[in-house]
Amino acid sequence: MVRTGLVATILGLLGGFLGVWLGLTFLGGGVAGEENFHDLVHEELVLTPGQENAISMLEREFALQRDNDEVRMSDARHALAIALLRDQALSADVTRAAAELHQAMGDLQLETLSHILAMRAELDPDQRAAFDRHLAQAFDVAD
């Protein structure tokens, strides 16, 4: 009976981490609508050449940060799986690997928010107003 509970717990943890990973990978890098902000900035706002250059630089820098965090998440998921399969208990190694995965996911989320705000800082007041409306919608905040 204990073994069944342990297996269910391990599968639940792995399923949860898989769900978070899939969400981060396929739904915008960890922040709701992050990809849509790029669409908004590049397709709906009329940017000056200076704004285009500045935002392009921000996007290149963010892509590097995101790639690093994705490697960290992959490594942490791997370490978590190894520890779970080896220990078959909520051991110190399992707890440590889970914490490392959460830290990498949290870092990516904060870096994504920072990136969104850095893009916003490059906009003029009218562009910011449109951006902010889109941001409010992405986070389900009523205007």
Side-chain angles (χ1 to χ4, degrees):
M1 191 60 109
V2 171
R3 188 164 178 89
T4 302
L6 181 61
V7 170
T9 300
I10 290 170
L11 290 175
L13 278 169
L14 288 175
F17 289 128
L18 178 63
V20 170
W21 175 77
L22 288 171
L24 289 170
T25 301
F26 296 108
L27 299 177
V31 174
E34 188 265 331
E35 290 298 321
N36 292 334
F37 285 106
H38 290 279
D39 294 343
L40 170 75
V41 169
H42 292 290
E43 295 175 14
E44 295 181 32
L45 302 178
V46 178
L47 300 177
T48 66
Q51 288 173 317
E52 284 282 358
N53 288 337
I55 290 172
S56 291
M57 183 181 301
L58 291 170
E59 289 173 339
R60 286 190 300 273
E61 291 169 357
F62 177 66
L64 292 173
Q65 289 175 334
R66 184 182 56 227
D67 290 347
N68 289 337
D69 286 332
E70 287 174 353
V71 167
R72 286 178 52 213
M73 286 188 296
S74 177
D75 291 347
R77 276 191 306 276
H78 184 260
L80 179 59
I82 299 271
L84 280 170
L85 293 171
R86 181 191 62 233
D87 299 349
Q88 297 186 7
L90 195 57
S91 67
D93 287 343
V94 170
T95 302
R96 187 174 23 262
E100 288 172 13
L101 179 56
H102 288 148
Q103 182 66 50
M105 288 186 300
D107 289 348
L108 176 57
Q109 187 173 41
L110 291 175
E111 288 163 3
T112 302
L113 293 169
S114 178
H115 172 62
I116 288 170
L117 292 170
M119 286 193 308
R120 183 187 183 278
E122 296 297 329
L123 305 175
D124 67 32
D126 290 337
Q127 293 167 329
R128 279 189 209 126
F131 190 89
D132 290 349
R133 282 191 300 276
H134 193 73
L135 183 65
Q137 288 173 349
F139 286 99
D140 295 323
V141 177
D143 275 339

